[in-house]
Amino acid sequence: MFKNIKLFFDKVEEFQSICIFGHVRPDGDAYGSAMGLKLALDFIYPDKSIYAVVDQVDQVPDGLPVAKRPGTLPDDVIRKSLCIVVDTSTVERICDQRALQGAYVIKIDHHPLTEHFGDMEMVDPDKVACAQIVASLLFTVFPVISPAAATCLLLGILTDSGNFRFTTDPDTFTIAGRLIANGADIVTLYDKLNTVSLESLRRRGQILSSFQTEGVLAYEIFDKDQIAKLGVTADRIAPMVNTIGFTAECPVWAFFAEYPDGKYRAEFRCSRRYDVSGVALALGGGGHQQASGAQLSDGEAVKKAIRLLSALLPK
Amino acid sequence: MFKNIKLFFDKVEEFQSICIFGHVRPDGDAYGSAMGLKLALDFIYPDKSIYAVVDQVDQVPDGLPVAKRPGTLPDDVIRKSLCIVVDTSTVERICDQRALQGAYVIKIDHHPLTEHFGDMEMVDPDKVACAQIVASLLFTVFPVISPAAATCLLLGILTDSGNFRFTTDPDTFTIAGRLIANGADIVTLYDKLNTVSLESLRRRGQILSSFQTEGVLAYEIFDKDQIAKLGVTADRIAPMVNTIGFTAECPVWAFFAEYPDGKYRAEFRCSRRYDVSGVALALGGGGHQQASGAQLSDGEAVKKAIRLLSALLPK
């Protein structure tokens, strides 16, 4: 854990006004970390003015508070505030650039450290969610936090860990248990996160009825016309690549989605025994061992990607 | 927690030979509870003879030990042993009926208590997995258990909780975290539990491409011929009902699968806001609020079920 926890809470005590910012195009973790921290501090310091600032997020269940829209806090409020930026690795991605004008600026994040900003940083890239870091911080000092705060923080953990599928860290589970014991409404969160539309369920059926395989690779090419017929965009369909993933026979899988200009967005995934990042790199893209992608210029490049991926060997 | 924990460990200390039994047609929790307890005690009492007895289970990753087949332990070993029956609610379901001939018999279970057996019972129906109870018991006395034991117990929790989706108990998470901290191999477990065959993925696609909706109900009727074409049986396809579940528009869902004799196996499911148990009861079946089923005599009964389910109102 961090060496500056005492300083963090000293700063929280010192300021009458605290503004907490997430990143642009926020997800459940950006909202959950910002709003969870705000609600926890609200409960402990009812006389302080505390704001959470992020755009609206789909995954938030009804009943949880809506954050302030970026750009809506007056300049003079920000300037006299402790500004805390959560779940955001670079200045460019802060949802309201004025966050850096705060009287004191703290960064709390779980992304790999690529850019320093603020007067103090608490960054741990080994944690699956920023909300887990925020919850750990709070529990270091406060044995109990409010149920609403716990719900927001658990939302961050659930969304960034894919319902606990992408974490191998015992602390994720310990913290989740503690948040639930503090009243986090896991029933409502699961209902919200696991409910899909009939349309997306039928779309999943279309995808599963038409994918192809070659060697270790399962893949699907969506051309412009198919994408239009599915009623989506290349950028909406490409991230659904895991729909055809996790089979015993094809430990590598990919989606190729054509943009209106004839270029393709390619998403590559694989089981832990493989590594698709080299192929992505060779095609001008990048990413992680098990999840990477590239922008491909045409159908020929798609064929090359299929050739490279289908012949991948175990690590 | 239980009042007889001290007596439990007194009995474990007292006996030189311990036989641990699961239920017939075992699942991950039956195997995980029995083998987890055996491996944990093996580590602590290397001089005792400890046996886990359950049939082979699909969900067990390679590398974990295979349990003894029911029926293979000699009678005289069982008669002089402490016999522990895990994850089994009735005598009829014990995988080896001779378990009750043990010198002292302990039942550890998480099913609703419908039948007493043994000299001592530790039953908590509020726990999502028997393995969670076993882990709690062990951690009450031993701060550390072996990684192999922790892996088996985590397998039980993962399978019975559906990767943590069906639990709202903070202890489930706390115990899971502690098992991982003890070396439980969550990576291997997730890989094993989340890997499907290409065939089952394509079958999922066929199901998602052909289901129907009526009112609040999403449903699918599989007649004999379709089931043969899918290469399965009515009893294999019916439990896959959740493939079409959890949509915003259809909070109630059902599968109807025809047996060769023209009867249908019906499986009903619903979101927490609904209750399908009344419909199941009215059709001669039964079950829980959110998961019940019935055997239906013919296609007319299927139509009636669809009529009743599609008109269900929120609780």
Side-chain angles (χ1 to χ4, degrees), chain A residues 1-2 29 87 109-112 123-134 136 157 160-161 166-172 175:
Chain A
M1 209 46 197
F2 308 108
D29 193 26
D87 196 35
D109 191 28
H110 74 126
H111 295 94
V123 177
D124 186 349
D126 290 336
K127 296 302 165 192
V128 75
C130 184
Q132 181 181 332
I133 298 176
V134 172
S136 288
I157 292 175
D160 261 27
S161 74
F166 309 136
T167 179
T168 59
D169 172 12
D171 289 345
T172 312
I175 293 284

Side-chain angles (χ1 to χ4, degrees), chain B residues 222 224 234 257-265 295-299 302:
Chain B
F222 302 92
K224 292 181 250 197
E258 191 181 15
Y259 286 113
D261 68 359
K263 291 197 176 105
Y264 284 83
R265 174 168 168 179
Q295 178 137 322
L296 305 179
S297 53
D298 54 25
V302 170

Side-chain angles (χ1 to χ4, degrees), chain A residues 26-311:
Chain A
D27 53 9
D29 193 26
Y31 167 87
S33 299
M35 186 57 79
L37 182 55
K38 170 197 152 50
L39 294 176
L41 296 179
D42 270 346
F43 193 77
I44 297 155
Y45 305 104
D47 296 332
K48 289 189 194 287
S49 302
I50 307 173
Y51 310 94
V53 184
V54 276
D55 273 320
Q56 192 65 2
V57 181
D58 287 343
Q59 298 100 318
V60 178
D62 297 339
L64 287 181
V66 174
K68 282 214 170 300
R69 271 190 300 116
T72 54
L73 279 181
D75 284 353
D76 62 319
V77 170
I78 292 178
R79 281 205 204 95
K80 68 178 184 198
S81 292
L82 169 63
C83 285
I84 304 174
V85 179
V86 295
D87 196 35
T88 308
S89 57
T90 59
V91 167
E92 194 194 356
R93 282 179 59 75
I94 304 174
C95 67
D96 189 328
Q97 294 292 323
R98 298 174 304 156
L100 297 181
Q101 296 170 14
Y104 193 87
V105 179
I106 299 174
K107 175 194 195 183
I108 305 178
D109 191 28
H110 74 126
H111 295 94
L113 184 57
T114 50
E115 186 180 311
H116 291 280
F117 64 80
D119 301 297
M120 169 177 164
E121 292 178 308
M122 309 176 104
V123 177
D124 186 349
D126 290 336
K127 296 302 165 192
V128 75
C130 184
Q132 181 181 332
I133 298 176
V134 172
S136 288
L137 263 179
L138 290 167
F139 285 138
T140 307
V141 177
F142 307 111
V144 173
I145 64 172
S146 69
T151 301
C152 290
L153 294 168
L154 188 60
L155 170 67
I157 292 175
L158 281 175
T159 49
D160 261 27
S161 74
N163 279 12
F164 301 107
R165 269 171 306 162
F166 309 136
T167 179
T168 59
D169 172 12
D171 289 345
T172 312
F173 296 90
T174 312
I175 293 284
R178 195 151 174 194
L179 290 170
I180 298 166
N182 272 264
D185 185 357
I186 190 169
V187 172
T188 300
L189 290 175
Y190 271 143
D191 277 355
K192 181 77 186 180
L193 297 175
N194 294 321
T195 300
V196 298
S197 68
L198 274 179
E199 190 197 353
S200 77
L201 205 61
R202 293 202 188 276
R203 191 174 298 142
R204 208 183 290 170
Q206 289 165 313
I207 292 168
L208 287 174
S209 303
S210 58
F211 70 94
Q212 305 175 63
T213 63
E214 189 172 324
V216 295
L217 177 70
Y219 69 98
E220 193 138 354
I221 305 173
F222 303 92
D223 64 28
K224 291 180 249 198
D225 298 341
Q226 284 168 302
I227 289 173
K229 235 173 76 185
L230 284 168
V232 293
T233 61
D235 282 330
R236 271 290 294 285
I237 199 86
M240 291 177 70
V241 58
N242 280 342
T243 307
I244 62 167
F246 306 103
T247 62
E249 296 92 334
C250 294
V252 181
W253 56 99
F255 268 17
F256 303 94
E258 191 182 16
Y259 287 113
D261 67 0
K263 291 198 177 102
Y264 285 82
R265 173 166 169 181
E267 289 292 338
F268 311 144
R269 300 288 185 277
C270 63
S271 79
R272 283 175 220 263
R273 288 168 290 136
Y274 285 76
D275 180 355
V276 287
S277 64
V279 174
L281 217 61
L283 294 164
H288 308 279
Q289 284 193 356
Q290 291 169 244
S292 32
Q295 179 139 322
L296 306 179
S297 54
D298 54 25
E300 278 308 307
V302 170
K303 279 188 201 158
K304 185 178 173 192
I306 292 170
R307 212 164 48 237
L308 292 171
L309 291 167
S310 64

